[in-house]
Amino acid sequence: MSLEHAATSNSPTDDQGRRVAALEETVAGLVRRVGVLEAEAEIRRVQARYMFLCDTPCPEFGVGGDDERIDLIMALYTDDAVWEGVGEYYDGQFGRAEGADAIRAHFQRFWGEKKDPELLLNAHYLTSEQIHVDGDEATGQWIHMQPWLFSDGKALLRSSRLNNAFRREDNTWRITRTRTENVFIAPLPEGWASDYPSASVLMKP
């Protein structure tokens, strides 16, 4: 190698170019990592809000009734979403609803008519979270547990696994699939819970 070639290959301009390229690669990597973290946080909020809106009494202050509750829940879903129960127990109990209209009808069957005994208490607890982001698509798995208390004094504890999917549309993450599978259902003693409110005022301004 000639001295002239060696001097050219090790010029300050070449070193500066390599440093700039390395810096740009580092910044791009950080941007991707922050994007994934932000997506995970937003998906976590969407899933938690779904559970929040499904609680009884509904903790969203000022909700006029179950029709309004359903509207708020449907705002979390894409138009082509699927809601389904799978496995030995939930397949027959819940079935599969495809599309926003069918999912709305599913929720209306649950809340649309007052039932006897009336559901007085239902709260969702999420755990064992896994969220996997791939660009504008994501999946998430959770285990959730929920106590149920009815007006006739009967109570039960239900646990389910969730395998849900999400998509980012117009920079907003929404649910494209809710899939739930039963883990167990356990009857609880009559009068198991006491001092529960008839309405929630936690979020009152």
Side-chain angles (χ1 to χ4, degrees), residues 96-117:
R96 178 183 172 95
E98 297 186 38
D101 290 343
I103 294 174
R104 179 180 291 275
H106 164 77
F107 290 128
Q108 287 172 336
R109 284 191 295 271
F110 185 83
W111 282 301
E113 299 179 1
K114 295 302 178 184
K115 298 179 181 179
D116 188 23

Side-chain angles (χ1 to χ4, degrees), residues 87-156:
E88 297 175 11
Y89 187 81
Y90 280 175
D91 183 43
Q93 182 177 355
F94 294 128
R96 178 183 172 95
E98 297 186 38
D101 290 343
I103 294 174
R104 179 180 291 275
H106 164 77
F107 290 128
Q108 287 172 336
R109 284 191 295 271
F110 185 83
W111 282 301
E113 299 179 1
K114 295 302 178 184
K115 298 179 181 179
D116 188 23
E118 182 183 358
L119 177 62
L120 301 178
L121 172 68
N122 180 28
H124 296 74
Y125 302 85
L126 280 174
T127 186
S128 303
E129 176 181 271
Q130 299 182 72
I131 298 175
H132 315 278
V133 179
D134 183 10
D136 290 333
E137 306 278 342
T139 58
Q141 292 81 42
W142 292 267
I143 295 176
H144 92 280
M145 192 169 295
Q146 53 184 138
W148 298 64
L149 181 64
F150 297 91
S151 58
D152 62 356
K154 292 183 180 179
L156 59 89

Side-chain angles (χ1 to χ4, degrees), residues 21-32:
L23 180 60
E24 289 176 344
E25 183 178 353
T26 299
V27 170
L30 290 172
V31 168
R32 286 192 297 271

Side-chain angles (χ1 to χ4, degrees), residues 62-104:
V63 174
D66 288 331
D67 285 343
E68 186 175 349
R69 179 211 296 257
I70 293 171
D71 287 341
L72 293 170
I73 292 173
M74 291 307 303
L76 303 176
Y77 280 89
T78 61
D79 290 340
D80 61 345
V82 173
W83 200 108
E84 60 182 339
V86 298
E88 297 175 11
Y89 187 81
Y90 280 175
D91 183 43
Q93 182 177 355
F94 294 128
R96 178 183 172 95
E98 297 186 38
D101 290 343
I103 294 174
R104 179 180 291 275

Side-chain angles (χ1 to χ4, degrees), residues 141-186:
Q141 292 81 42
W142 292 267
I143 295 176
H144 92 280
M145 192 169 295
Q146 53 184 138
W148 298 64
L149 181 64
F150 297 91
S151 58
D152 62 356
K154 292 183 180 179
L156 59 89
L157 185 65
R158 183 195 298 263
S159 179
S160 307
R161 293 187 185 277
L162 300 171
N163 180 22
N164 296 350
F166 307 82
R167 184 169 67 236
R168 180 163 46 197
E169 296 181 342
D170 299 325
N171 209 34
T172 299
W173 284 96
R174 290 188 173 86
I175 304 168
T176 61
R177 182 189 71 223
T178 294
R179 179 180 294 157
T180 180
E181 179 181 56
N182 181 51
V183 176
F184 69 82
I185 297 175

